[in-house]
Amino acid sequence: MLFIALAYVGLAVHRSALAWSEMKRIGETASRSAVELPEDAERAVGALLVGAEWPDEHRRSGGAYADPWGTPCRLVRGPGQWRVDSAGPDRVFGTEDDLRFRFAPPPPPPK
């Protein structure tokens, strides 16, 4: 029983680390992107990854990219700061286990 509990904790830690790594990469890609992104928060993440080498291609579907728990990540855009959100292990946005990676938005396109 202890072994099963430890294995579960190990898997949870691995998924969280993977989610942070992916969210950081999405944020870095977004901050350099000159691509016109859709308004839809989930499709915006998918649009950033078009043509990108991505290790878990099977988690991209319907124009979105799922976090390690199977929930589509979201790109939240605000003035001066953007962020990538993952719903976390409970798969529900707006709860304590959500993961958020904040970053500076890309510069505006030249006129």
Side-chain angles (χ1 to χ4, degrees), residues 47-87:
L48 285 168
L49 303 179
V50 170
E53 293 285 324
W54 209 252
D56 290 324
E57 187 67 31
H58 64 279
R59 292 203 335 246
R60 193 188 320 192
S61 70
Y65 186 78
D67 64 16
W69 298 278
T71 306
C73 293
R74 294 179 178 174
L75 180 66
V76 179
R77 294 168 269 198
Q81 181 176 282
W82 288 11
R83 73 176 196 259
V84 179
D85 288 357
S86 163

Side-chain angles (χ1 to χ4, degrees), residues 36-52:
E36 183 75 27
L37 297 173
E39 288 299 315
D40 180 271
E42 294 171 6
R43 292 193 180 277
V45 172
L48 285 168
L49 303 179
V50 170

Side-chain angles (χ1 to χ4, degrees), residues 25-47:
R25 186 169 173 197
I26 292 167
E28 289 169 348
T29 301
S31 66
R32 297 188 306 268
S33 179
V35 174
E36 183 75 27
L37 297 173
E39 288 299 315
D40 180 271
E42 294 171 6
R43 292 193 180 277
V45 172

